[in-house]
Each structure stands twice: as C-alpha cells, then as structure tokens.
Amino acid sequence: GSAAKTEDGDSPASNGSAGKFINRLRSMRVRKQKSTLASPLPMLPIKDTSSGPDIQSPTSPAPTPESRDTFGEWAGPRYPTDTERTLTLLQTPPASWDQLYAAAVCPRLPLPRNIGIMVFQDCALASGPFLIFRSTTTDAFSGSGSESVLSVTNDPLLSFELCMPAWLVDLLLFNRLPAAFQEPSKISFILAPAPHTVLPPFPNPSARLVANRMLRARKLAIYVVEKLGLALMTQPAPNYVSAVDACIRVYERNANVKDASAEDASAEDASEGVVDYIAVLERNGEVLGDAERAALDDVTQWRAQTGEYVGRPELYLHLSCRGRTAQPKTTLATIKTNVWKANTDVVVHYEWAEFVRNRISKAQSLASVVVQVNSV
C-alpha cells in the first residue's frame, strides 16, 4: 500500500499539493469537453434581397469539436488595431476638410525647413521604444528621404499619418482630446520675498496662488515682475545697469590716469555706445560667473538696440524653495515633488540674483574709495 502511493513521485509530502493541482486540471478538462460537445445554436436566416422573397437557409450541421475555433472563443472578440482606427478617422472626418482647415479657422504658419520628425512606438518585447517613422518637414510631403514601416505608394503624407497613433491624429487633425483625458491637477503655492531682501512683498502677502503643475519657474519670475511693477520686461534691471556703469567709470578713470591714450579710446568707445563690459571688468581683475556673463550680454544687446528687447527677468531674479535654487525651466511639479516634499502649499521665495547684489556692493565700495581719494 505504501509502495503504491509513492510510485508517482519521490515522496508523499512533495506530491500532496501537486496531486491536488493535477486533479483540478483534469476536472476542468472534463467540464470543457462536455461544454464543447453541447449542441450549438441554430443558424440565423439569411436574407437575399436580390431574389425577392426571403429565403430560409437550412440549419447547418453541428461542427465537430475539431472544427470549432476554441482559441477564438477563449480570446473573445477581435478589436481593431491602432492603424485601423487611424485609417477610420481619416476616412470619416467630423466635417469636410475645407471646413476644418479654412484660413479663418486654421491659419497657415510657415515651418522652418529640415526640422526632424520622428515617431517612436513602445514594445513590451523591446528594451525601449523603436523608430517607426523618420523624415523632415521638407521630405515628409515629398516622400524622398523618408523612412517608414508603413509605406503607401505615391502618398508620403498618408504614410506619416498611419504611423501616428489614433489619439494623436484625432488631436492634431481634428483638435479633439481623447475621451479618457483628464485635466491635470493644479498646485497651490505662495510667493514671498526672501529674508533680508530689499524687494517688497505682494500687496496681499498670504495670497494663495493656484497654477498648472507644468508651469515653469520663468513664468513665476514674470508674475513677480508684473505684481511688483519692476521694469524688467522693457530693459535689464535698472539697479544692476547703474552699478555696472559706476564700476566701468571708476575702472576707466583709473586707466586714464595711468595712460592718457586710453582716455581717447575710451571716449571713442563711449561715443559709439560699444563698451565691452566683460573685457573691461576682467581686465581689472574681476572673475565673472556664467550668470553675470549672460546678464552683461543682455545689457550689451539692449544698449546696441539691434531689435525689440525681450525681457529676461529670470536672469536678475532668484527663485528658491527650501534654500534650493529653482532654475528657469523647473516646473512646479518638480519643485513640489523633489524639493518641497509635503502636501501643504509650496512656498517659493524671490530676491535679486546674487551677482546683482554683489555688483551693487562692488559699485558702492568703489565709489567710497573714490570719495576718500578725492578728499585726500
């Protein structure tokens, strides 16, 4: 009796759970065979409109178990692929193409030439997304130089459209958001002046602001400029420009004392309005950081008046959260997730950039030295 029990395996203990599992599979298989052998439903009548009266088709004999599509019954209905959904959208637009792309509704915008267009697709079997379409803004309409996994002869634009997912075609061509789209949640925050800064607070210091989570820190700097009435959108920071001019005047005065010829060159440069601020400051032993170099280039372009000035308040204002700098391209979501790390309102402090404060202090120190020398 014990020998008969141990013939199917190594030990009774190891076969206990396995035996129960095998018995379950066998019972499920028997039930499946019984359900498969059951008689199918009768065939529905077929209507033939060409011959007049309806013709009832005879009931087909029951298929044998071998002829039935057991995999199809198990897998369920077949759903259209993404390419088929895209083609359906292109064949049945919500309105005529002339109405969708009328000049009043969709104005034409010239695109730069040779901008790369690439479409990638995710695959569960691949380590990363793989390329399914590659072209440029010029070749996408001509077909020359384009690479596509779905290529339609003599229609390069259709090849490009079929490579895009259906939701993207619906958004780009028909301006319709997917049905599952949800408005991204917003983040509440407070803008407050940093301690020991000369910038004033908002009229309502405890005002609670709400914005999209993808709002960047540069937009926050522009909001601060507008609320405080700072002249940073029409020109560089006035206090910084005045401090730079004061330092340049002192350095040029010292250079003119040593070399009289430098006075003529300095006067000629000043008359033409072409002053190389970076060269003058570095020639006098100053070490400039990247931030101040960008600000001096901004001042030079503004003085040259080569075109309409585009304000860059993110150069002269410093935004921080919990002591960490918020770069101009940092989003509110990144600040809250990686810096604030709390469910309360995010607090962002603003102040003048460090190089602005240092330049103002440098100009004041140089002015005091000049006053002392003149008094002596």
Side-chain angles (χ1 to χ4, degrees), residues 100-270:
L100 290 173
Y101 293 98
V105 178
C106 183
R108 270 54 174 175
L109 298 177
L111 292 177
R113 298 174 60 86
N114 297 327
I115 292 182
I117 302 175
M118 292 182 288
V119 180
F120 291 85
Q121 184 176 7
D122 287 327
C123 181
L125 302 178
S127 59
F130 60 93
L131 187 67
I132 62 175
F133 181 85
R134 177 168 55 192
S135 183
T136 62
T137 52
T138 304
D139 298 336
F141 301 98
S142 62
S144 60
S146 300
E147 300 178 7
S148 175
V149 296
L150 298 174
S151 181
V152 180
T153 306
N154 299 327
D155 199 340
L157 184 58
L158 182 59
S159 303
F160 172 45
E161 292 171 341
L162 290 178
C163 288
M164 293 190 294
W167 66 266
L168 183 58
V169 173
D170 210 9
L171 178 63
L172 293 180
L173 299 185
F174 309 132
N175 198 24
R176 297 186 301 195
L177 294 173
F181 174 78
Q182 295 181 355
E183 187 70 22
S185 59
K186 296 185 178 181
I187 295 179
S188 58
F189 61 98
I190 297 174
L191 286 172
H196 312 295
T197 183
V198 296
L199 289 175
F202 285 176
N204 187 3
S206 60
R208 185 169 176 261
L209 306 174
V210 179
N212 191 298
R213 59 188 295 107
M214 299 309 295
L215 187 72
R216 299 188 184 275
R218 183 180 184 274
K219 292 292 185 179
L220 297 181
I222 295 176
Y223 184 81
V224 172
V225 168
E226 293 176 351
K227 288 298 179 181
L228 298 183
L230 303 177
L232 294 182
M233 300 305 296
T234 58
Q235 68 175 71
N239 53 351
Y240 177 73
V241 174
S242 300
V244 170
D245 291 340
C247 293
I248 295 295
R249 285 194 299 268
V250 173
Y251 289 147
E252 288 183 345
R253 187 181 299 112
N254 296 337
N256 293 339
V257 171
K258 296 179 181 179
D259 188 2
S261 62
E263 183 177 0
D264 299 333
S266 175
E268 182 180 356
D269 291 343

Side-chain angles (χ1 to χ4, degrees), residues 41-47 55-60:
L41 296 174
M43 297 292 290
L44 295 176
I46 301 176
K47 181 181 293 186
I55 300 176
Q56 301 291 335
S57 64
T59 304
S60 302

Side-chain angles (χ1 to χ4, degrees), residues 23-68:
N23 291 334
R24 283 185 182 180
L25 289 180
R26 288 173 179 172
S27 63
M28 293 172 62
R29 181 179 178 184
V30 170
R31 289 196 297 269
K32 178 65 177 177
Q33 290 177 353
K34 290 181 179 179
S35 63
T36 305
L37 294 175
S39 60
L41 296 174
M43 297 292 290
L44 295 176
I46 301 176
K47 181 181 293 186
D48 188 0
T49 58
S50 60
S51 59
D54 296 342
I55 300 176
Q56 301 291 335
S57 64
T59 304
S60 302
T64 61
E66 292 78 8
S67 64
R68 295 191 61 171

